[in-house]
Coordinates of all heavy atoms in Angstrom, one line a residue:
L133 N -24.0 10.3 -3.4 CA -23.4 9.7 -2.2 C -23.6 8.2 -2.2 O -22.6 7.5 -1.9 CB -24.0 10.4 -1.0 CG -23.4 10.0 0.3 CD1 -21.9 10.4 0.4 CD2 -24.2 10.7 1.4
L134 N -24.7 7.7 -2.4 CA -25.0 6.3 -2.3 C -24.2 5.5 -3.4 O -23.8 4.3 -3.1 CB -26.5 6.0 -2.4 CG -27.3 6.5 -1.3 CD1 -28.8 6.2 -1.5 CD2 -26.9 5.9 0.1
L135 N -24.1 6.0 -4.6 CA -23.4 5.3 -5.6 C -21.9 5.4 -5.5 O -21.2 4.5 -6.1 CB -23.8 5.8 -7.0 CG -25.2 5.4 -7.4 CD1 -25.6 5.9 -8.8 CD2 -25.4 3.9 -7.4
K136 N -21.4 6.3 -4.8 CA -19.9 6.4 -4.6 C -19.3 5.1 -4.0 O -18.2 4.8 -4.3 CB -19.5 7.6 -3.8 CG -19.6 8.9 -4.5 CD -19.1 10.1 -3.7 CE -19.3 11.3 -4.6 NZ -18.8 12.5 -3.9
A137 N -20.1 4.4 -3.2 CA -19.6 3.2 -2.6 C -19.4 2.1 -3.7 O -18.6 1.2 -3.5 CB -20.6 2.7 -1.5
L138 N -20.1 2.3 -4.8 CA -20.0 1.3 -5.9 C -19.1 1.8 -7.0 O -19.1 1.2 -8.1 CB -21.4 1.0 -6.4 CG -22.4 0.4 -5.4 CD1 -23.8 0.3 -6.0 CD2 -21.9 -1.0 -5.0
K139 N -18.4 2.8 -6.8 CA -17.6 3.5 -7.8 C -16.7 2.5 -8.6 O -16.7 2.5 -9.8 CB -16.7 4.6 -7.3 CG -15.9 5.3 -8.3 CD -15.0 6.3 -7.7 CE -14.1 6.9 -8.7 NZ -13.1 7.9 -8.2
G140 N -16.0 1.6 -7.9 CA -15.1 0.6 -8.5 C -15.8 -0.3 -9.5 O -15.4 -0.6 -10.6
K141 N -17.0 -0.8 -9.0 CA -17.8 -1.7 -9.8 C -18.4 -1.0 -11.1 O -18.3 -1.5 -12.2 CB -18.9 -2.3 -9.0 CG -19.7 -3.3 -9.7 CD -20.8 -3.9 -8.7 CE -21.5 -5.0 -9.4 NZ -22.5 -5.7 -8.6
I142 N -18.8 0.2 -10.9 CA -19.4 1.0 -12.0 C -18.3 1.3 -13.0 O -18.5 1.1 -14.2 CB -20.0 2.3 -11.4 CG1 -21.3 2.0 -10.6 CG2 -20.4 3.2 -12.6 CD1 -21.8 3.1 -9.8
Q143 N -17.1 1.7 -12.5 CA -16.0 2.1 -13.4 C -15.6 0.8 -14.2 O -15.3 0.9 -15.4 CB -14.9 2.6 -12.6 CG -13.7 3.1 -13.5 CD -12.6 3.7 -12.6 OE1 -12.7 4.0 -11.5 NE2 -11.5 4.0 -13.3
G144 N -15.5 -0.3 -13.5 CA -15.1 -1.5 -14.2 C -16.1 -1.9 -15.3 O -15.7 -2.3 -16.4
R145 N -17.4 -1.8 -15.0 CA -18.4 -2.1 -16.0 C -18.3 -1.2 -17.2 O -18.4 -1.6 -18.4 CB -19.8 -2.1 -15.4 CG -20.9 -2.5 -16.3 CD -20.8 -4.0 -16.5 NE -22.0 -4.4 -17.3 CZ -21.9 -5.0 -18.5 NH1 -20.7 -5.5 -18.9 NH2 -23.0 -5.3 -19.2
I146 N -18.1 0.1 -17.0 CA -18.0 1.1 -18.1 C -16.8 0.8 -18.9 O -16.8 0.8 -20.1 CB -17.9 2.5 -17.5 CG1 -19.3 2.9 -16.9 CG2 -17.5 3.5 -18.6 CD1 -19.3 4.2 -16.1
E147 N -15.6 0.5 -18.2 CA -14.4 0.1 -19.0 C -14.6 -1.1 -19.8 O -14.1 -1.2 -20.9 CB -13.3 0.0 -18.0 CG -12.8 1.3 -17.4 CD -11.8 1.1 -16.3 OE1 -11.4 0.0 -15.9 OE2 -11.3 2.2 -15.8
E148 N -15.3 -2.1 -19.3 CA -15.6 -3.3 -20.1 C -16.4 -2.9 -21.4 O -16.1 -3.4 -22.5 CB -16.4 -4.3 -19.3 CG -15.7 -5.1 -18.3 CD -16.6 -6.0 -17.4 OE1 -17.7 -6.3 -17.9 OE2 -16.2 -6.4 -16.3

Side-chain angles (χ1 to χ4, degrees):
L133 187 60
L134 294 175
L135 288 179
K136 283 186 181 181
L138 300 172
K139 180 182 175 183
K141 186 175 182 178
I142 293 168
Q143 183 175 352
R145 184 73 177 125
I146 291 169
E147 288 173 356
E148 284 176 19

